[in-house]
Amino acid sequence: MYTLDDFQNGLVLLVDKPLEWTSFQVVNKIHWLIRKQYDIKKIKVGHTGTLDPLATGLLLICTGKKTKQIQELMGADKTYTGTICLGATTASYDLETEVIPHTNPSSLTEQQLKIASKQFLGHIQQKPPIFSAIKQKGKRLYEHARAGEQVNIPSREVIVYEFEITKINLPEVAFRIRCGKGTYIRSIANDFGEVLGVGGYLNSLCRTAIGNHNLVDSMSIDTFERNLKASS
C-alpha cells in the first residue's frame, strides 16, 4: 500500500505496459491516479525508456525525488523477447504499416538463422526506423514519415550483448535479445531479414527486464489503481 509521502519521496513502479498504449499514456494515467487519490495539483512522474505502442512489457515509472534517477535507469541494459516474421517487410519495421511480401523464407535452415544472428552481436551500427520518435529538423521522424517527407537518418552505434534464436516456425522466428540503451529491436528485425535476403519485420515484442528489474515483478495499471484506492 502507498502513502503520499511514498510518492513524493520517490518510488520506482514496475508496470506492465498494455498493448497499444503509448509510454506517455501510461505515465499520464499513473500521474492522474495519484493526483486524484491525494487531491493534489502537482507530483513528478516520468518513465525510464519508451516502449512502442505495439510492444508490451516492463516500463519503469519514477515518482517524486526518484525522477532524478531517470537518466541513470535509462542507461541500464534491457532484455526483450518477441518474434520476427521473415519473407516480408514493412516501412515501420513492425505491424504499424502495410506488410509487403518479399521472398519466401521456407528454405532457410536453423544454421543460417543462427549464423545471421551472430552478425548483430557486440557494437554495431544501426539506423533507427523512420517511424520513430527521434527528432530531426524539429520534428519527430514519424511525423516526417507520415507527411511523405524524405529524411536522411544517420546510423549510430548500439551494443547487443545476446541475440538468441529460441524457436523457429517459419516464417516466424522467436528470439531473446539483451542490449544497451538506444537499440531498436525493430531495426534488428528489419536488418536480420535483409542479411538473410528475404526481408523481415517485428511481429511481436515484450520487454522482460531493465537492469535488475524484471517483468515478473511488475503490475498492471488496474492493479496499481486498486492498490492505490486500498491505501486510503
Side-chain angles (χ1 to χ4, degrees):
M1 301 307 167
Y2 309 108
T3 67
L4 178 56
D5 282 346
D6 290 335
F7 291 112
Q8 291 175 328
N9 290 329
L11 291 175
V12 178
L13 304 170
L14 279 63
V15 177
D16 186 357
K17 188 192 84 64
L19 186 67
E20 297 185 349
W21 281 53
T22 67
S23 302
F24 186 66
Q25 285 173 320
V26 176
V27 169
N28 273 356
K29 180 70 172 180
I30 299 289
H31 189 216
W32 181 81
L33 287 169
I34 296 170
R35 288 178 56 214
K36 181 185 176 186
Q37 175 72 18
Y38 298 105
D39 193 23
I40 56 174
K41 290 186 177 180
K42 291 184 179 180
I43 181 76
K44 288 184 177 180
V45 181
H47 67 75
T48 68
T50 302
L51 270 177
D52 290 332
L54 293 181
T56 61
L58 184 60
L59 198 63
L60 298 184
I61 306 293
C62 296
T63 75
K65 294 177 182 178
K66 284 290 185 182
T67 55
K68 294 178 181 178
Q69 295 181 16
I70 283 177
Q71 288 301 317
E72 177 189 340
L73 290 166
M74 284 180 76
D77 297 346
K78 298 170 180 68
T79 305
Y80 300 88
T81 60
T83 56
I84 297 169
C85 188
L86 297 172
T89 60
T90 76
S92 59
Y93 302 169
D94 65 4
L95 284 169
E96 184 182 342
T97 54
E98 180 187 0
V99 175
I100 304 166
H102 193 292
T103 302
N104 190 330
S106 60
S107 63
L108 291 172
T109 65
E110 180 179 355
Q111 184 180 21
Q112 285 175 305
L113 295 170
K114 291 188 174 179
I115 288 172
S117 70
K118 287 182 169 60
Q119 296 186 37
F120 295 90
L121 292 174
H123 292 273
I124 62 171
Q125 292 295 316
Q126 181 184 80
K127 277 193 176 185
I130 183 65
F131 283 82
S132 63
I134 294 171
K135 277 193 173 180
Q136 191 174 106
K137 298 179 182 177
K139 290 200 298 188
R140 305 285 185 185
L141 285 180
Y142 63 75
E143 293 176 308
H144 289 291
R146 287 169 185 162
E149 299 166 356
Q150 295 294 319
V151 289
N152 180 39
I153 307 172
S155 61
R156 58 187 188 177
E157 187 177 274
V158 296
I159 186 165
V160 178
Y161 300 104
E162 300 173 52
F163 184 177
E164 179 188 2
I165 303 295
T166 56
K167 187 177 180 181
I168 300 167
N169 185 22
L170 294 173
E172 283 197 359
V173 176
F175 65 85
R176 176 184 171 276
I177 288 175
R178 185 170 68 88
C179 57
K181 177 184 176 182
T183 306
Y184 276 91
I185 308 301
R186 282 186 286 151
S187 290
I188 290 179
N190 177 79
D191 298 347
F192 184 63
E194 198 170 272
V195 165
L196 290 163
V198 298
Y201 63 87
L202 190 63
N203 194 44
S204 66
L205 185 68
C206 178
R207 184 157 65 195
T208 60
I210 301 173
N212 294 323
H213 300 288
N214 292 286
L215 179 60
V216 292
D217 300 317
S218 70
M219 60 186 157
S220 68
I221 295 170
D222 287 344
T223 296
F224 172 74
E225 185 171 4
R226 285 195 300 270
N227 290 345
L228 190 60
K229 287 177 178 176
S231 301
S232 59

